[in-house]
């Protein structure tokens, strides 16, 4: 079975976490999705690019989550989530997935 690229895992965590929180009206459940995907992506980042890169990408993942909130006030919730998910996916691909 083919391995899912870390870029897809990270972006799915951001989009899926928001979607679950919104559709279930349970923010904690969305947080679980966000955290599980983030941990899975971090594990892949560490294996593929090393600890320093994994730390940097993990910080970017958390910053994207936090940054989506004020961005949503300007552009709307879904565009903000898709925007930050795309940015994290691009960074993940460039740092960890591109050569793998």
């Amino acid at each position: 079975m083919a391995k899912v690229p870390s870029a897809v895992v990270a972006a799915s965590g951001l989009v899926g976490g928001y979607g679950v929180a919104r559709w279930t009206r349970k923010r904690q459940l969305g947080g679980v999705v966000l955290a599980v995907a983030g941990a899975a992506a971090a594990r892949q980042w560490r294996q593929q690019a090393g600890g320093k890169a994994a730390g940097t990408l993990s910080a970017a993942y958390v910053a994207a989550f936090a940054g989506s909130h004020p961005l949503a006030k300007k552009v709307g919730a879904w565009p903000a989530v898709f925007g930050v998910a795309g940015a994290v996916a691009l960074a993940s691909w460039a740092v960890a997935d591109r050569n793998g």
Side-chain angles (χ1 to χ4, degrees):
M1 183 156 102
K3 184 175 175 181
V4 177
S6 63
V8 173
V9 174
S12 297
L14 290 162
V15 173
Y18 175 68
V20 167
R22 181 172 178 141
W23 290 317
T24 64
R25 299 189 190 276
K26 296 186 188 304
R27 295 177 77 186
Q28 299 86 350
L29 192 54
V32 169
V33 171
L34 181 79
V36 168
R43 182 172 180 260
Q44 285 183 262
W45 293 329
R46 187 175 53 253
Q47 289 173 344
Q48 294 171 247
K52 186 175 180 181
T56 301
L57 289 168
S58 294
Y61 184 80
V62 172
F65 167 70
S68 68
H69 292 81
L71 183 60
K73 293 179 181 179
K74 296 180 189 291
V75 300
W78 280 112
V81 171
F82 285 128
V84 299
V88 168
L90 181 61
S92 179
W93 175 82
V95 173
D97 295 333
R98 178 174 45 176
N99 297 323

